Amino acid sequence: MSVGLLSRALSALSVSRAVSPQIASVSGVSAALTGSRGFMTSACVCQNRSLWKQREKYTVRPIGMKKTGGRDYTGRIVTHGIGGGHKQRYRMIDFQRLRYEPGREDQPIVEKVVEVRYDPCRSADIALVAGGSRKRWIIATETMEAGDVIRSSCTIGRMAVLAKEGDSHPLGALPIGTLINNLELLPGKGAQYIRAAGTCGVLLRKVNGTAIVQLPSKHQIQVLETCVATVGRVSNVDHNKRIIGKAGRNRWLGIRPSSGLWQRKGGWAGRKIRRLPPIKSFVTPAQ
Amino acid sequence: MFNATVQRIRTPAFKITKNCKSKDCHSVLYMIPHGRRFLSTSSCLYGKILPRKKPRVVHEIAGLEPITYADRMHFVPGLAKPRFPPWDRGWKDPSHYTSPKLEDMPLHKDKPCYMFNQRTNVLEGVRQALWLSKSVIIKGLPAQILALAEDPANQIENQDERVQDAIKNSRLWDTTEPRPPRERFCPSLLHRLLHLCDGLQVMRPELAKRILAEKYSLAATWRRGEDVFQVRGQNGLLLNSMTPVPVLAGEEQIKSTADQALETFYPIAPTIDLQRTHIYQEKNDTGFREGYPYPHAHTLFLMEMGNTPKLFPEQLRAKMVMFAFGNALARAQALYGKEPRVLEKPIVVQSVATNGRLFQFVVFQLNTTDLQSDSGVKNLVWVDEDQPLYGFAKVWPFIKKKVVKVPAGLSGYQPNTFKKFLALYLHGAA
């Protein structure tokens, strides 16, 4: 509205009265349609909404988070049901297990678990592991405890490795039938799948250079065998058996109540029994 | 007139968040956060900030000089953008100073140095401090100091009463607020206890040849394996004396340490949690100038008040060991030079740390400055852990279900802790 007022005011000042912008602004049609160029009347709002997540250097200490409340940069609710809840601090998790310390790329990665603790940002527990001169947070597996020693390797031998829970190996080195978690889709990208509490995938088959894994949703995917995954189930196995108990606990978790309006459910609702989709392959034909 | 749908122009909810005078900003881009203008139609109307496109990559071809519009003094489409050499003011203006890159700084070295300062919180605690200082640990205080503690001739008159008075003064009566914070009662208690110990100067004139120093900066450098380590920082109160502390362990005990192996903690490296830096100066400084009348460091008093940063007892003991070692090493290098050698007269430095209630006692004896290898004669550390001076000092009684669990005032006083404190103070003068 301010743009329209100012454009009208300025056109009133100019000598050659342009007819179309005046009429356009009088009839309330958008300036974009009529061709007059609007202009900025005030400075952009300085948004530091996402400055807390712009840190590049890895750190073990927790970082203060800003809650969005389900709103985006325009201020409107994009996702309903999010808001409030206990204040949380974000701990930077290293999803790439095979990250070498600068200067120690030739030595195998052996780390000791210092502590396993609750993470407010995810359902799984996280573990602080220390190896060499660095510490990092990783997703803890089911029976991980303080004092355990875990290894991460990148070699695929001729024989399958006896998989110990908590260690991470490429899929080609694991025996078929092992339960895995924190699966990478592309080698070196970092774990993207199977990270939630209590989940595990199963290594089904290994087919010349690729491996087929069944995800917790029973979907099957095909990835390169050099992708690294951690052995075992993710920690906090009884997460799905917890009882919230009261509405207040949901509010503590940052979940706002859903709208109470009854709406007739359409074809999308209800149980569907259908066959599994075909195996999704993340291997490009060139590889 | 127009068969166009009437659209309501949404007003972007903008507000100028920065108030600055126009004469401060030489460019209007200073006032705009993001530092650029958003002139596309949707940005102007709807406040949408389009993401910035990456600038066109300009490849530098060796041997070819690009023709720039530098001579024309204005932009000419088609010519390359000139790149000028960075302008040097010629004199140092403090308000327009940009520091050089790390590699160009004068003290930059290729080999990194691992620094231990007063804020370091080591992961492995005392084990790591022992590896770094090439020492062997003995639990409990040495026999000479325990004998001093038990000797009734060394007590202050009405010792228990006066110590309890000191605790009550600092914990309960120091403030009009409900309870004094730890940053207040911890230094207050330590100073009162030191004042009590000073009262013995009447009977022992050697105690007068000491002085307390605060905020002195320590620097000590040594090499371990292929790495360089340093201890730096202002650590706490240092009690200096004119005479050195007498040696505690005999020759045989020192020689027997050569057979004991240093404890390693694979897979964690001993350099974890230490500040790794390429810009350093290999400095060895006791913190005091030559010709200082009290050259020998006697006892280091550390206060743990939980602010920078909060240290657990294990990490606090590690800090004590490292700083006692740093003081001893700096003194040894000032006396005997920088050459690594086994000392004929070992240097002893004591350390006391407290958090207001628990006391940790450490006695460090530096037998050798040859710290390069892991074998050979090692240094000795006596550690006495977690000695409470009192149990509770509550302003209000702790009542649970109408039963008093912990009474108000001072409770659970342990006299032995102060005896050890006094013995460490008197050691060397008694």
Side-chain angles (χ1 to χ4, degrees), chain A residues 156-236:
Chain A
I156 305 176
R158 213 167 44 82
M159 281 187 49
V161 176
L162 184 66
K164 210 178 89 153
E165 199 204 295
D167 292 349
S168 72
H169 297 272
L171 288 175
L174 294 171
I176 59 169
T178 40
L179 300 179
I180 57 171
N181 63 72
N182 288 66
L183 175 67
E184 279 185 341
L185 291 183
L186 301 171
K189 194 170 179 194
Q192 284 175 287
Y193 278 43
I194 323 176
R195 295 175 359 185
T199 50
C200 58
V202 182
L203 185 58
L204 292 176
R205 331 198 270 281
K206 289 194 261 191
V207 171
N208 62 303
T210 66
I212 295 180
V213 175
Q214 178 181 291
L215 300 177
S217 56
K218 309 283 190 303
H219 288 212
Q220 299 182 357
I221 55 169
Q222 182 180 32
V223 288
L224 280 175
E225 65 171 8
T226 44
C227 293
V228 159
T230 321
V231 177
R233 286 179 76 179
V234 183
S235 55
N236 202 5

Side-chain angles (χ1 to χ4, degrees), chain A residues 1-4 20 23-24 27-34 36-47 73-74 76 102 104 108 110-112 114 128 130-135 149 151, chain B residues 1-2 4-17 31-34 38-41 43-49 114 121 123-124 127 265-273 276:
Chain A
M1 198 185 82
S2 55
V3 173
S20 41
I23 296 172
S27 61
V29 178
S30 157
L33 288 175
T34 54
S36 73
R37 203 179 177 81
F39 44 83
M40 291 281 284
T41 55
S42 51
C44 280
V45 60
C46 177
Q47 289 188 339
Y73 67 96
T74 53
R76 294 179 168 220
R104 287 166 56 112
V110 183
E111 282 159 326
K112 185 169 153 193
V114 175
L128 180 65
S133 313
R134 65 144 184 215
K135 293 185 278 196
V149 176
R151 277 163 211 280
Chain B
M1 179 78 66
F2 294 100
T5 48
V6 174
Q7 276 189 27
R8 186 174 59 86
I9 300 173
R10 279 176 287 165
T11 48
F14 289 148
K15 47 189 192 293
I16 300 177
T17 51
M31 284 174 73
I32 304 173
H34 299 274
F38 309 99
L39 295 176
S40 66
T41 312
S43 290
C44 295
L45 292 175
Y46 300 106
K48 180 172 180 148
I49 302 168
Y114 296 94
N121 187 349
L123 181 71
E124 283 288 319
R127 287 202 300 174
F265 23 89
Y266 183 78
I268 299 175
T271 51
I272 199 171
D273 278 330
R276 182 172 190 258

Side-chain angles (χ1 to χ4, degrees), chain B residues 57-279:
Chain B
V57 176
V58 178
H59 298 283
E60 276 208 24
I61 306 170
L64 278 183
E65 264 188 40
I67 301 177
T68 64
Y69 52 81
D71 307 321
R72 312 268 202 108
M73 308 282 261
H74 62 93
F75 174 73
V76 173
L79 295 186
K81 184 172 177 174
R83 283 180 57 187
F84 297 104
W87 173 64
D88 179 29
R89 199 179 299 268
W91 54 281
K92 189 180 170 208
D93 185 2
S95 56
H96 291 96
Y97 174 69
T98 44
S99 59
K101 282 194 274 200
L102 288 180
E103 291 82 22
D104 300 331
M105 290 196 178
L107 291 176
H108 178 83
K109 296 173 182 55
D110 288 328
K111 195 165 170 176
C113 172
Y114 296 94
M115 299 260 206
F116 188 100
N117 54 32
Q118 65 270 32
R119 288 189 53 118
T120 311
N121 187 349
V122 280
L123 181 71
E124 283 288 319
V126 181
R127 287 202 300 174
Q128 191 169 350
L130 293 177
W131 190 94
L132 288 171
S133 56
K134 196 180 168 190
S135 338
V136 159
I137 188 173
I138 302 174
K139 299 268 180 193
L141 287 174
Q144 293 101 318
I145 297 186
L146 288 173
L148 271 179
E150 297 304 320
D151 191 359
N154 297 334
Q155 315 280 344
I156 314 168
E157 60 169 85
N158 301 331
Q159 180 174 300
D160 287 342
E161 258 185 53
R162 294 179 75 176
V163 173
Q164 285 175 331
D165 267 344
I167 301 169
K168 284 180 201 170
N169 262 303
S170 56
R171 278 300 300 256
L172 306 173
W173 305 329
D174 197 16
T175 172
T176 52
E177 284 166 8
R179 50 180 276 204
R182 197 174 285 276
E183 287 89 3
R184 201 185 159 105
F185 74 71
C186 185
S188 146
L189 178 64
L190 190 65
H191 284 107
R192 282 176 208 274
L193 293 178
L194 279 174
H195 187 75
L196 266 182
C197 299
D198 281 339
L200 281 175
Q201 276 181 24
V202 183
M203 294 185 313
R204 288 162 209 274
E206 304 91 38
L207 285 179
K209 294 185 184 148
R210 291 185 183 176
I211 194 169
L212 268 180
E214 207 176 10
K215 293 200 177 164
Y216 75 104
S217 295
L218 176 70
T221 319
W222 73 100
R223 281 165 201 274
R224 201 98 167 74
E226 290 124 19
D227 303 314
V228 182
F229 293 93
Q230 281 201 11
V231 170
R232 293 277 193 124
Q234 294 181 351
N235 27 32
L237 284 173
L238 186 64
L239 184 68
N240 284 313
S241 80
M242 285 179 165
T243 52
V245 184
V247 175
L248 287 163
E251 280 285 328
E252 323 78 47
Q253 197 175 2
I254 298 174
K255 288 211 177 72
S256 69
T257 60
D259 308 322
Q260 298 179 28
L262 277 179
E263 201 186 343
T264 50
F265 23 89
Y266 183 78
I268 299 175
T271 51
I272 199 171
D273 278 330
L274 298 179
Q275 182 194 2
R276 182 172 190 258
T277 170
H278 286 268
I279 297 162

